[in-house]
Amino acid sequence: MTDAKRPAGAVGWLGLLVIVALGINLRPILTSVGPLLTEIRDATGLGFQGASLITVLPVLCMGLFALALPWLGRWLGESRGMLGGLLAIAVACVWRLLLDSGVALIASAVLAGTGVAIIQALVPGVIKRWFPDRVPSAMGLYSASLMAGGGTAAVLAPIVAVRFEHWQSGLGIWAIPALLGIALWWWLRPREVQPNSAAPVGEHWFASRRAWLLALYFGLINGGYTSMVAWLPLYYRQLGWSAEGSGQLIGLMTIFQVLAALSVPLLIRGSLDRRPWLCLCLLIQLGGFAGLLLAPLQATALWVALIGYGLGACFALSLTLTLDHLPDPRAAGSLAAFVQGIGFIITGIIPYITGALRDLTGDFQASWLLLAVCVVLMLGVTLRFVPEGYARAMRGGA
């Protein structure tokens, strides 16, 4: 592809392909761990809280680096940021092929999480700029690819580990899609006139009450995902399931996450009010967590499917809701970076808390109850997002 410049908004299917390639690489570093956690703990001696750091620290990195985007963006730039992020993921995965200690595994998680953080902080602004009239559709496709990458890794990681006879291979093979993503970004991304910085100078949101509300909302509405990735396979391993069977539960959850992300643009077509659909999807999540609490071995697939659909729709809807608040692509991208920054810190802490509850109580029932309570609280918060109030809220109103 030539470097001919094209205006923002003229991006076609090649741009969508690049977005999909980026999304696919953002979750395998998390989801490949859960199905192999028994083998990892046996080999490294990590406890539940120590093992939770493999999930918690990358998600915290996602938050911290997103918050630093207004400063890092001026130095790093969008293209270098994307390439550097993909390279960090690839290097971390190759490192995982060679490591044999818990400390090294946690360190590789931090490196990979840094790469993921940079990419996903930049993607919403790219989508808003490349697809100004198709934000919900592009965001849905991005969310679906992100979740599909995570689910594929959860299903294939134990299969690869068995095939190559050591658990490290199930974690390290995900360097391949990262390297493919580097090639696609380098060769296929739309060339366009764009600013030198990845975030607008001076656009910081720490003083905005609405930005903080959106960030807390994003973190709590999506908090179930990291806990499911960290603990659902292990939960069913302890109930007698195999590594492959427990990993397939994440795969099933992912199928419904993808279906939800792809269906969101159809659901919200013609309306700027996201509240009815957010409430519906939160109730669907709640039904799934209630099932895990009350009947985990009966209708397991139904509970996991409900959780997956609810989480998948909430992720896409909550990011779309954030972008709806501002018409300018750069400002909206900066707001989305802040929301993801605070939100992913919250989301990263949740599996640590649920793991600690498991250590304290001896089972995961208290963990599932905590997630259900968070969903109920977010139902109340959802009612505050009235479209007619976006402009006033961003000017400093309630």
Side-chain angles (χ1 to χ4, degrees):
M1 181 177 177
T2 68
D3 286 339
K5 299 186 186 299
R6 66 186 75 184
V11 176
W13 68 270
L14 287 178
L16 289 174
L17 181 61
V18 172
I19 294 296
V20 168
L22 293 171
I24 284 173
N25 280 285
L26 301 184
R27 290 298 177 267
I29 64 154
L30 300 176
T31 59
S32 59
V33 172
L36 298 173
L37 200 52
T38 297
E39 290 76 9
I40 291 170
R41 291 182 65 235
D42 289 344
T44 62
L46 288 171
F48 285 106
Q49 286 181 279
S52 73
L53 294 177
I54 305 171
T55 301
V56 169
L57 291 179
V59 179
L60 290 178
C61 286
M62 296 176 198
L64 294 172
F65 274 82
L67 288 177
L69 185 63
W71 296 274
L72 289 176
R74 293 193 293 271
W75 166 73
L76 193 60
E78 184 178 275
S79 185
R80 285 188 296 175
M82 293 295 192
L83 291 172
L86 288 166
L87 183 60
I89 295 170
V91 170
C93 290
V94 172
W95 186 11
R96 287 180 166 186
L97 288 171
L98 308 173
L99 57 80
D100 59 1
S101 74
V103 172
L105 181 57
I106 291 170
S108 74
V110 172
L111 176 60
T114 301
V116 171
I118 294 169
I119 295 169
Q120 69 183 18
L122 294 170
V123 165
V126 171
I127 287 175
K128 183 85 170 179
R129 192 176 72 250
W130 286 4
F131 309 100
D133 300 321
R134 293 178 290 162
V135 169
S137 299
M139 187 61 71
L141 186 62
Y142 164 66
S143 301
S145 63
L146 183 150
M147 296 159 191
T152 301
V155 172
L156 293 184
I159 296 173
V160 172
V162 170
R163 172 66 179 82
F164 291 97
E165 299 183 350
H166 60 98
W167 56 266
Q168 290 93 333
S169 59
L171 305 182
I173 195 171
W174 309 108
I176 295 174
L179 293 172
L180 180 60
I182 289 173
L184 289 175
W185 176 266
W186 183 258
W187 293 107
L188 296 184
R189 78 183 188 278
R191 269 51 171 189
E192 55 178 339
V193 177
Q194 55 180 291
N196 291 327
S197 64
V201 176
E203 285 287 8
H204 309 307
W205 303 101
F206 288 95
S208 169
R209 286 186 292 168
R210 177 49 62 97
W212 275 100
L213 181 63
L214 287 166
L216 293 169
Y217 185 73
F218 179 85
L220 291 173
I221 202 174
N222 295 300
Y225 176 77
T226 45
S227 288
M228 291 297 100
V229 168
W231 304 126
L232 186 67
L234 182 61
Y235 177 52
Y236 279 94
R237 289 292 297 271
Q238 293 178 341
L239 294 177
W241 290 42
S242 67
E244 290 186 28
S246 63
Q248 287 168 0
L249 287 177
I250 299 295
L252 176 65
M253 185 178 81
T254 299
I255 290 172
F256 282 88
Q257 285 180 292
V258 170
L259 290 174
L262 293 176
S263 66
V264 160
L266 299 176
L267 295 176
I268 64 177
R269 184 173 50 190
S271 173
L272 285 176
D273 193 348
R274 316 303 185 194
R275 293 174 298 168
W277 300 111
L278 280 163
C279 286
L280 174 62
C281 295
L282 281 166
L283 288 171
I284 291 172
Q285 271 195 57
L286 186 61
F289 289 127
L292 287 186
L293 272 167
L294 302 174
L297 292 175
Q298 286 76 46
T300 301
L302 175 60
W303 312 139
V304 173
L306 289 173
I307 292 170
Y309 191 91
L311 286 169
C314 285
F315 181 85
L317 281 168
S318 57
L319 272 183
T320 302
L321 174 74
T322 298
L323 294 175
D324 286 343
H325 273 70
L326 292 166
D328 177 67
R330 295 187 71 211
S334 174
L335 176 63
F338 176 84
V339 166
Q340 290 184 93
I342 299 297
F344 277 119
I345 291 173
I346 296 168
T347 301
I349 291 171
I350 289 175
Y352 188 80
I353 295 172
T354 51
L357 286 173
R358 166 60 180 80
D359 278 340
L360 287 172
T361 63
D363 61 45
F364 281 104
Q365 296 302 92
S367 304
W368 308 148
L369 179 61
L370 174 65
L371 296 176
V373 169
C374 286
V375 170
V376 172
L377 292 174
M378 291 307 99
L379 279 167
V381 175
T382 300
L383 301 178
R384 298 194 60 183
F385 297 121
V386 181
E388 292 77 12
Y390 290 168
R392 182 172 64 88
M394 296 312 298
R395 289 194 302 266

